[in-house]
Amino acid sequence: MLCLRNLFNTRLVVNPKSVGRRNSTLNVRPGGDFAHILPIRLIEKAATRITTDNDVRPLNYFKEMSSFSSRVVGVWWSLFQDMEINRVTGLGDGHAADVAIFFEAGTGELNTKAFEKAVAAISKLAKKGVGGQLNVPAGHWLTAPFNLTSHMTLFLSEDAVILGIEDEKYWPLMPPLPSYGYGREHPGPRYGSLIHGQNLKDVIITGHNGTIDGQGKAWWVKYRRKLLNHTRGPLVQIMWSSDISISNITLRNSPFWTLHPFDCKNVNITNVTILAPVLEAPNTDGIDPDSCENVVIEDCYISVGDDGIAIKSGWDQYGIYYGRPSTNILIRNLVVRSMVSAGVSIGSEMSGGVSNVRVENLHVWSSRRAVRIKTAPGRGGYVRHITYRNLTFDNVRVGIVIKTDYNEHPDEGYDPKAFPVLEDISFTGIHGQGVRVPVRIHGSEDIPVRNITFRDMSVELTYKKKHIFQCAFVQGRVIGSIFPAPCENLDQYDEQGQLVKQSTSQNITDIDYDF
């Protein structure tokens, strides 16, 4: 049976009694009840399979019904390129049905053309004001990079795996990001992403926990051996787009950053698992919102070889000139592991500014750092109005880090006197066990940390040394009793907000990197 989906997700099951005849009229049953007639012009013949109640199973397409050896890989959209969909019960005038596009089960061959044809077909529908859904059935689908289009859903069924081809000659080159001015690892062009989109609206990537696998090991090895001439590409990258939803999938083994929305608005990332080896998988950040506005990241599990999440907004003079901040970002209900970097980071590329970020209900385990803000002279920009609430550290070397000397620059053209502003940062409900250094706030004379607040903190320590709450050039307050005892840079208030002790040494330095 052929299954279509309408705009309200009603399943329309077509009984293909007349398959093979041109200008055939097929009976349609929405949800099992007889409905109107749906005229469909079929170009070629097709073999079909049954649908189930909770999933749409694949259709097998053949060029010749009599020759089963001539199995066609991918999407034969020509079957339906002249499809005309009339009014169907349950749809108002002007509404058309989304078309579910299917694949023959995995063959191990390169499926790039099939993906491209499917996306092109959906793009034609989008120009008519109709969305489309590309269904990827169970199987392994090897592909080179391909682009998405507006008003589309990429749906990965259970046990569906999109595999990125390892040979970099299949990966297109792109200009450097305009806010970076430089390939992140090499000057000049950079590799594109496996799944890419630009200037899009209304894009959904979802499924029944299917997988997108970048097969990044070959890239990591070549990077360490200095065999690549261009910056590695992300796994999924969406640029200059809006209304993006990514949910219920697994992303793994990215060559570089895993999920990179760049200069996007209204991005929702929910119930996504992101995996890479925690060691020897360089720069495999989980999610990097970059110059993005209105972002929600929630209910995710991330275990990768770099930052679990890194909020960015451009690099030095290029980011300052581009001038797009990352703002209005909510991160909640995450479990993260990062043996190399941090669970959730801001920066170090933050030259366009980062503000209005809320991180809550975060569990970081077996990691080098839990949360970190990193910047340097030359970055410019600002990090302000950042709220951390209900953080749990489990076997973490350093819990909270603010670092102002992360001196990595795109070129010699940066302004060393472009000092970022760090202010209005609060931590509430910080708990954990097995932590060596709970806090290390390393401001400087040029980049002081202003208006920082700690409240309700109790962290079990593994290293019994006096200076474990480390500060330098910090101004702020502690409200109520916290453990371990705060540094002397901070004012102390009781729970009622009354000043108990005022600091006279905000610029004192008590940073010890020896442990």
Side-chain angles (χ1 to χ4, degrees):
M1 293 181 183
L2 173 64
C3 181
L4 309 180
R5 287 186 184 274
N6 66 28
L7 293 174
F8 303 108
N9 254 354
T10 303
R11 293 171 62 247
L12 308 176
V13 183
V14 179
N15 184 14
K17 292 182 179 179
S18 302
V19 168
R21 297 207 305 267
R22 295 178 184 270
N23 300 314
S24 300
T25 298
L26 307 181
N27 292 330
V28 180
R29 296 183 297 107
D33 298 323
F34 185 81
H36 290 74
I37 299 301
L38 188 68
I40 301 177
R41 188 181 302 170
L42 295 176
I43 308 304
E44 295 180 327
K45 300 178 181 181
T48 62
R49 291 178 59 184
I50 301 295
T51 64
T52 66
D53 289 338
N54 58 4
D55 194 10
V56 183
R57 306 310 300 171
L59 297 176
N60 302 330
Y61 291 109
F62 306 93
K63 276 188 174 178
E64 300 293 338
M65 288 291 290
S66 59
S67 176
F68 284 85
S69 63
S70 61
R71 179 172 298 179
V72 179
V73 176
V75 175
W76 281 91
W77 179 253
S78 59
L79 289 169
F80 304 109
Q81 63 186 0
D82 291 335
M83 179 178 291
E84 296 173 358
I85 303 177
N86 288 348
R87 186 180 179 194
V88 182
T89 298
L91 293 180
D93 290 332
H95 291 283
D98 284 337
V99 183
I101 303 173
F102 298 88
F103 289 83
E104 163 59 11
T107 65
E109 300 180 27
L110 195 60
N111 298 282
T112 313
K113 292 297 182 183
F115 282 107
E116 291 174 344
K117 289 180 180 179
V119 174
I122 293 172
S123 181
K124 291 180 181 179
L125 287 175
K127 292 177 181 177
K128 300 177 181 179
V130 184
Q133 177 165 304
L134 192 164
N135 289 321
V136 183
H140 288 72
W141 301 91
L142 183 67
T143 181
F146 64 92
N147 295 325
L148 303 179
T149 190
S150 292
H151 309 297
M152 78 166 287
T153 296
L154 176 63
F155 188 96
L156 284 81
S157 300
E158 185 178 4
D159 298 324
V161 181
I162 296 176
L163 288 170
I165 192 167
E166 295 174 300
D167 190 342
E168 67 267 23
K169 73 181 182 182
Y170 288 93
W171 291 62
L173 292 175
M174 301 180 61
L177 291 166
S179 59
Y180 287 68
Y182 180 97
R184 194 61 183 82
E185 297 168 339
H186 294 276
R190 60 193 175 101
Y191 288 107
S193 57
L194 179 64
I195 296 178
H196 188 81
Q198 291 185 195
N199 302 303
L200 305 182
K201 183 176 177 60
D202 180 25
V203 174
I204 298 172
I205 303 175
T206 188
H208 292 157
N209 202 32
T211 298
I212 302 172
D213 188 334
Q215 300 200 106
K217 184 176 180 179
W219 292 89
W220 309 330
V221 170
K222 290 177 182 177
Y223 169 75
R224 289 195 298 268
R225 294 178 179 174
K226 303 185 184 303
L227 298 177
L228 297 172
N229 296 319
H230 306 284
T231 300
R232 292 165 288 156
L235 186 63
V236 178
Q237 181 172 248
I238 311 293
M239 303 174 65
W240 302 301
S241 301
S242 63
D243 303 327
I244 309 300
S245 176
I246 301 173
S247 65
N248 304 319
I249 60 170
T250 295
L251 306 174
R252 66 188 312 152
N253 298 326
S254 175
F256 192 56
W257 300 340
T258 303
L259 177 52
H260 182 221
F262 177 82
D263 200 351
C264 292
K265 293 182 179 180
N266 307 330
V267 179
N268 286 274
I269 301 168
T270 303
N271 194 28
V272 173
T273 299
I274 301 179
L275 304 172
V278 293
L279 299 174
E280 298 186 354
N283 309 109
T284 50
D285 297 8
I287 305 171
D288 287 4
D290 199 340
S291 294
C292 288
E293 180 179 351
N294 303 334
V295 178
V296 176
I297 302 170
E298 60 185 350
D299 303 320
C300 296
Y301 178 83
I302 303 173
S303 177
V304 289
D306 209 300
D307 291 313
I309 293 175
I311 301 171
K312 303 174 182 291
S313 66
W315 200 9
D316 287 2
Q317 72 272 28
Y318 303 105
I320 295 171
Y321 179 79
Y322 192 71
R324 302 285 200 282
S326 280
T327 187
N328 302 337
I329 297 176
L330 173 61
I331 299 168
R332 63 185 176 190
N333 307 332
L334 265 61
V335 177
V336 183
R337 186 186 188 198
S338 172
M339 289 283 288
V340 173
S341 196
V344 175
S345 286
I346 296 175
S348 73
E349 308 94 326
M350 39 60 64
S351 301
V354 176
S355 66
N356 298 336
V357 176
R358 185 179 183 92
V359 180
E360 60 185 26
N361 304 333
L362 171 70
H363 184 110
V364 182
W365 68 285
S366 190
S367 296
R368 186 181 182 95
R369 307 171 190 90
V371 296
R372 176 168 65 162
I373 297 171
K374 47 184 176 176
T375 186
R379 290 291 190 270
Y382 53 84
V383 176
R384 61 165 66 107
H385 309 315
I386 314 296
T387 300
Y388 299 91
R389 183 180 294 271
N390 297 334
L391 309 185
T392 301
F393 308 153
D394 185 2
N395 189 25
V396 172
R397 184 171 180 177
V398 186
I400 296 166
V401 180
I402 299 178
K403 185 176 177 64
T404 58
D405 59 350
Y406 203 86
N407 289 311
E408 203 174 39
H409 303 283
D411 54 42
E412 298 302 318
Y414 74 95
D415 179 2
K417 294 185 178 180
F419 301 121
V421 174
L422 307 182
E423 61 186 6
D424 302 331
I425 304 165
S426 68
F427 297 88
T428 303
I430 312 301
H431 303 282
Q433 60 182 1
V435 178
R436 177 175 285 196
V437 179
V439 177
R440 179 178 285 149
I441 303 172
H442 192 176
S444 69
E445 185 174 1
D446 295 319
I447 312 174
V449 180
R450 300 299 188 201
N451 198 25
I452 192 167
T453 302
F454 290 89
R455 184 170 191 170
D456 182 19
M457 177 174 178
S458 178
V459 177
E460 179 185 310
L461 306 173
T462 60
Y463 199 86
K464 306 298 183 182
K465 184 170 180 176
K466 180 179 179 181
H467 301 301
I468 53 176
F469 197 120
Q470 301 180 10
C471 300
F473 292 91
V474 177
Q475 177 270 322
R477 67 197 57 80
V478 172
I479 300 175
S481 176
I482 68 172
F483 182 84
C487 60
E488 297 180 3
N489 307 58
L490 302 177
D491 299 334
Q492 297 185 38
Y493 290 77
D494 62 22
E495 291 288 355
Q496 288 70 43
Q498 298 298 314
L499 180 63
V500 175
K501 181 182 178 182
Q502 186 169 16
S503 172
T504 59
S505 54
Q506 296 173 359
N507 295 339
I508 193 171
T509 298
D510 190 15
I511 302 295
D512 186 354
Y513 286 102
D514 289 337
F515 69 101

